[in-house]
Amino acid sequence: MALRVSGSLPLLEKITLEAWELDSAFIPALRKNLAVCAAALEKADIQAVVDLRQGSYVEGGVDALDGGLFGGTTPPAVTHAILNPPYRKIASRSRERQLLRTLGMETSNLYAAFVWLALRQLVDGGELSAIVPRSFCNGPYFRDFRQDLVAESTFHRVHVFDSRSEAFARDEVLQENILFHLTRRNRKRASITISTGSLEAPAKVRIPVERFVFPDDPEKVVHIATDNDADEVRGFFQALPCRIEELGVEVSTGPVVDFRLKSALSKRLGKDDVPLLYPHTVKAGRVIPPLADASHYGDARIGKKPVAITVNEETLRWLIPAARFVLIKRFSSKEEKRRLVAGVLDPKDFADGRIGIENHLNFLHRKRAGLSVAMAKGLCRFLNSTVADRYFRQFNGHTQVNAADLRAFRYPDSAGLEILGKAKLDDGDQRAIDLAMAELLGAPSCTES
């Protein structure tokens, strides 16, 4: 449901409640609830008009803003908007996408479209509150939306749920959700309130607006920092000298898309097969070759995954020579402590000389060739550090670690990474990695909570 409240403020004499709902099953209950709201307003001597619309809010919002060939030119007069939009991707050739493009809106998800349309319908100073996934905070898919959102509004409050399942636990929704409150074109605020935990007793911090979205950032990445040491962490990363390409290192996503090569995958490693690497092979700073037989895994979920891919004309283009790569999980499992999980692949562990890397992994390489031992270990330890994970969570609001995120990250120079890589420490010891980061690279002394 999309709900908008319009009226003349601050002396409120009349209010129009405009509500949108697509699903007919909810209309009777929604009509009753709106009638209760209208009755409460009438008791307060406020005339209430209920306008319940069954249909697509995208179509209705676009029509209100554009009006079509014979539409009027009266600007929207919405003072308040409350949204719990659908979280669904929009196909590039869908009618919804085409309608949004008529207003210059390019987005791949309905939740962003709802917020974008509602924001455009607000009067200056109008307020908007929404519960949405945090995924819009970074990445190329939501860049246009972020840029318009930052240009046209002022954030007042953001609430971050501790658990991915907290907001919609009964519906088994595992998105990482946030609540936010903003106003249209109000530029006088110097700080934003960020809260975490339960809505009944949240922990709050106030941050300057320039820490929420860096003024000189063309991508307008949204940073939601809730830790006490967030400033120190951010300062350390902003001072790092390199992007990944400046190190001569490339980031790629695993080329094997398993459902497209299903007939070539096997749960047993045969003489014509090579190992296929999935995220579960990345453990404590290293890549462990899959077992020769998937049924030998104690974990039933892992046992369902193929362990090998057959080498033939169809698959050859998707396989790569085994070399010293750094593999990074693209997805973290539900409630997993870490977002960044990396491991070094040792080519000596793969006697066949060729491997398949599945699409749920990213890997660092040099033109599909391996890295030096020191550089590979240094990059792996850097990404596995608590400070790196904590900084990553400031701007990455979903469960994915995309190649674009790793390219946008800042890194120490080659000399610093090699010093870190040559350090004598146990890659399974998180405290040892964090201490090495602090002692060798001057990182803040973050420890895993």
Side-chain angles (χ1 to χ4, degrees):
M1 182 186 76
L3 174 66
R4 301 186 305 151
V5 183
S6 61
S8 55
L9 298 176
L11 297 176
L12 193 61
E13 297 177 351
K14 180 180 179 180
I15 189 169
T16 299
L17 298 173
E18 178 184 319
W20 285 85
E21 178 56 60
L22 185 62
D23 193 334
S24 60
F26 292 106
I27 294 297
L30 181 55
R31 185 177 286 113
K32 289 181 181 179
N33 288 339
L34 289 170
V36 172
C37 293
L41 289 166
E42 296 286 353
K43 285 185 178 180
D45 295 325
I46 299 172
Q47 183 182 351
V49 177
V50 175
D51 184 6
L52 175 56
R53 305 189 185 190
Q54 182 182 353
S56 165
Y57 176 61
V58 170
E59 292 189 12
V62 170
D63 186 61
L65 290 166
D66 181 37
L69 182 62
F70 303 103
T73 57
T74 304
V78 177
T79 58
H80 297 77
I82 304 169
L83 296 95
N84 175 15
Y87 308 160
R88 179 171 64 80
K89 289 185 177 180
I90 311 174
S92 59
R93 296 184 180 180
S94 66
R95 171 169 169 74
E96 294 157 326
R97 198 74 168 258
Q98 293 170 0
L99 285 169
L100 292 167
R101 284 171 180 155
T102 65
L103 298 179
M105 297 181 184
E106 191 64 58
T107 184
S108 60
N109 202 296
L110 275 178
Y111 82 80
F114 272 52
V115 173
W116 210 339
L117 288 167
L119 178 64
R120 292 275 184 94
Q121 291 180 272
L122 287 179
V123 298
D124 285 359
E127 299 179 56
L128 184 152
S129 293
I131 180 168
V132 298
R134 195 176 160 186
S135 54
F136 76 90
C137 293
N138 68 304
Y141 294 118
F142 295 96
R143 182 189 297 115
D144 292 347
F145 170 63
R146 278 196 311 275
Q147 290 172 339
D148 201 57
L149 192 64
V150 171
E152 295 294 324
S153 63
T154 300
F155 279 81
H156 296 262
R157 172 84 180 271
V158 176
H159 180 81
V160 183
F161 292 97
D162 283 341
S163 167
R164 289 183 203 160
S165 59
E166 182 180 351
F168 300 105
R170 291 178 299 178
D171 301 314
E172 297 184 351
V173 174
L174 298 182
Q175 290 275 5
E176 188 164 339
N177 300 93
I178 62 172
L179 282 166
F180 64 74
H181 170 225
L182 57 79
T183 53
R184 176 89 188 267
R185 293 178 182 165
N186 185 340
R187 299 294 173 205
K188 295 182 180 180
R189 293 187 70 86
S191 62
I192 297 168
T193 299
I194 308 291
S195 62
T196 57
S198 68
L199 290 173
E200 292 77 14
K204 299 179 183 179
V205 295
R206 293 187 69 82
I207 64 170
V209 292
E210 60 270 17
R211 274 180 46 202
F212 188 66
V213 178
F214 302 156
D216 58 351
D217 178 13
E219 295 289 315
K220 300 305 177 188
V221 172
V222 176
H223 296 251
I224 302 178
T226 58
D227 297 307
N228 292 330
D229 56 2
D231 275 348
E232 194 177 5
V233 169
R234 177 179 55 85
F236 169 72
F237 271 87
Q238 285 186 313
L240 291 175
C242 297
R243 299 286 188 189
I244 195 76
E245 66 270 14
E246 293 172 313
L247 297 169
V249 176
E250 300 174 49
V251 186
S252 297
T253 300
V256 176
V257 180
D258 54 7
F259 67 86
R260 293 178 181 165
L261 297 170
K262 197 170 183 178
S263 63
L265 306 185
S266 174
K267 293 184 180 180
R268 292 183 180 178
L269 185 65
K271 63 181 181 64
D272 296 324
D273 303 332
V274 296
L276 177 59
L277 304 179
Y278 277 90
H280 64 261
T281 63
V282 179
K283 302 280 188 184
R286 60 174 297 203
V287 176
I288 309 219
L291 298 179
D293 190 329
S295 66
H296 294 164
Y297 281 105
D299 189 325
R301 293 172 301 173
I302 296 176
K304 293 178 181 179
K305 299 287 186 183
V307 297
I309 180 169
T310 301
V311 181
N312 55 37
E313 290 185 5
E314 180 189 13
T315 64
L316 198 57
R317 60 182 295 197
W318 308 114
L319 306 179
I320 56 178
R324 189 169 286 101
F325 303 129
V326 178
L327 272 59
I328 304 105
K329 292 185 181 182
R330 283 186 60 206
F331 295 86
S332 52
S333 60
K334 178 186 175 183
E335 306 311 323
E336 190 169 16
K337 285 186 176 181
R338 299 193 57 80
R339 191 67 52 80
L340 291 173
V341 181
V344 176
L345 185 148
D346 188 339
K348 294 179 182 178
D349 292 334
F350 297 87
D352 292 301
R354 191 181 281 125
I355 55 172
I357 301 179
E358 200 269 335
N359 194 246
H360 287 76
L361 287 164
N362 292 311
F363 65 106
L364 307 183
H365 58 96
R366 282 189 170 133
K367 299 186 183 301
R368 296 293 179 103
L371 308 171
S372 70
V373 174
M375 177 60 78
K377 283 191 174 184
L379 282 166
C380 182
R381 289 168 176 174
F382 174 77
L383 292 171
N384 281 340
S385 67
T386 299
V387 66
D389 194 74
R390 194 165 292 177
Y391 179 68
F392 193 76
R393 288 173 183 271
Q394 287 189 19
F395 67 85
N396 182 285
H398 44 80
T399 60
Q400 296 186 40
V401 179
N402 294 316
D405 298 325
L406 294 169
R407 294 187 191 105
F409 222 54
R410 299 201 69 83
Y411 298 81
D413 58 21
S414 296
L417 287 168
E418 288 178 356
I419 289 172
L420 182 63
K422 292 176 181 177
K424 302 293 185 183
L425 55 92
D426 179 1
D427 285 292
D429 186 339
Q430 186 64 53
R431 180 173 173 77
I433 292 174
D434 294 337
L435 287 174
M437 283 284 294
E439 293 172 0
L440 301 176
L441 298 179
S445 299
C446 295
T447 54
E448 204 169 43
S449 56

